[in-house]
Amino acid sequence: MSPSPLHINELPDVSTTSSSDSSSEDEVDITERTDIPSSMQPQIERLRLLRTLVAQSSLDNKRDMYAEHQRNHENPQRQRKSDAQKRKAQIQSRRDTLGASYERSRFMEYSIDQVAKYEERKREREDNRERGFTDYAQVNQKKYERDVAKIKPDLAKSKPDLAKCQGEYVDDEKAVTRLAKHVRGQQEKRAKLHKPSVEKEGEHVSYINQKNARFNRKMNRAYDKHTQEIRDNLERGTAL
């Protein structure tokens, strides 16, 4: 009995079989394959390390983005208020726990030098505290004392020994440089605060400073169209 002829439709699809085999191989991660030759193992290990670093970097970036988002949407004033309330609650809890020995425990946390420096700063703040305007002499004296405190002169060296220098006294170059720098800073500060008024030629000056000029311009934009006739009559002298 002769075998029946094989039709072309019954032949196996070689292209489909090969593509399915190749796709199954592609689906397997190269770092998990067992048929990798030993000569490529260092490259495979480096690939694993790079993938780990990429994943960790992506995780860190997401964490930083979330932290920045939180910082941008939080209220600093509310955060400070919450921290102050937490500190107050901790102090109250500690006071309730220790009772009468709470103040003594606070003193144990600071040294004698720290307490002395704190008391000195407290006295300085009390002395420098503004107590209201009395006269310009007191204001100038306060300003002079603040400037001297900023410069921090060496009063012991600033008094010349006339017996040694025989009437010729040379100031310390560092002290002179420090004083000159302070004076230049004061001049720049005054120049920023007191800018000369720039008046246009032919402009009607109806202001005393730049802030008043800006206010007048706003008023003019709002009311000039309603008061133009009245102002013209006042200028001509026919208003009355």
Side-chain angles (χ1 to χ4, degrees):
M1 184 176 180
S2 60
S4 59
L6 184 63
H7 298 284
I8 192 169
N9 294 332
E10 298 178 2
L11 291 175
D13 191 354
V14 180
S15 61
T16 307
T17 306
S18 60
S19 62
S20 62
D21 294 341
S22 61
S23 62
S24 62
E25 290 179 359
D26 293 340
E27 291 177 357
V28 178
D29 190 358
I30 191 172
T31 59
E32 299 178 358
R33 291 175 56 180
T34 57
D35 57 342
I36 302 297
S38 60
S39 60
M40 294 184 62
Q41 288 300 326
Q43 289 84 345
I44 298 299
E45 293 297 331
R46 182 170 177 80
L47 179 60
R48 291 196 186 99
L49 178 61
L50 290 175
R51 287 181 177 178
T52 304
L53 293 176
V54 169
Q56 184 63 33
S57 176
S58 177
L59 183 62
D60 293 341
N61 289 337
K62 290 181 180 179
R63 188 181 296 111
D64 293 341
M65 289 175 60
Y66 178 76
E68 184 178 1
H69 177 77
Q70 291 295 109
R71 287 194 301 269
N72 293 335
H73 288 78
E74 68 183 3
N75 190 345
Q77 185 176 1
R78 185 182 302 172
Q79 183 66 27
R80 289 193 296 268
K81 186 176 180 181
S82 177
D83 295 341
Q85 290 177 351
K86 289 181 181 179
R87 289 194 298 269
K88 187 176 180 180
Q90 292 174 356
I91 293 174
Q92 185 63 35
S93 175
R94 189 175 178 185
R95 182 181 285 111
D96 296 339
T97 303
L98 298 177
S101 60
Y102 170 72
E103 296 296 335
R104 179 176 296 181
S105 67
R106 286 187 59 197
F107 295 150
M108 297 295 290
E109 297 176 358
Y110 305 101
S111 64
I112 297 177
D113 295 336
Q114 291 175 336
V115 173
K117 290 180 180 179
Y118 172 76
E119 293 295 334
E120 183 179 358
R121 288 196 301 268
K122 187 176 179 180
R123 285 193 300 270
E124 290 178 357
R125 285 197 300 268
E126 184 66 22
D127 295 338
N128 295 331
R129 187 167 61 90
E130 296 293 341
R131 305 181 186 278
F133 178 80
T134 54
D135 54 8
Y136 288 103
Q138 184 186 18
V139 174
N140 293 332
Q141 181 65 23
K142 286 282 187 180
K143 181 68 168 56
Y144 171 76
E145 292 176 357
R146 285 195 297 267
D147 291 342
V148 170
K150 290 180 181 178
I151 298 175
K152 297 180 180 179
D154 191 349
L155 300 179
K157 292 183 180 180
S158 62
K159 295 180 180 180
D161 189 353
L162 299 179
K164 294 181 179 180
C165 62
Q166 297 179 356
E168 297 179 359
Y169 176 72
V170 179
D171 292 321
D172 186 9
E173 293 184 0
K174 293 182 179 180
V176 174
T177 304
R178 188 166 61 249
L179 178 60
K181 184 178 179 181
H182 177 75
V183 171
R184 285 195 297 268
Q186 292 292 324
Q187 291 175 350
E188 293 175 358
K189 187 175 181 180
R190 282 194 295 269
K192 291 180 180 179
L193 292 177
H194 303 284
K195 294 182 180 179
S197 59
V198 179
E199 300 176 0
K200 296 181 181 179
E201 186 177 357
E203 181 183 8
H204 178 64
V205 179
S206 60
Y207 52 86
I208 58 176
N209 51 36
Q210 293 300 321
K211 185 176 181 180
N212 181 235
R214 287 194 297 269
F215 177 78
N216 290 346
R217 286 194 293 269
K218 292 179 181 179
M219 296 292 290
N220 293 338
R221 286 196 299 269
Y223 297 104
D224 266 2
K225 56 185 178 181
H226 304 291
T227 61
Q228 183 66 37
E229 184 179 356
I230 298 175
R231 286 187 291 106
D232 292 343
N233 292 337
L234 289 174
E235 290 177 1
R236 290 195 301 266
T238 60
L240 300 178

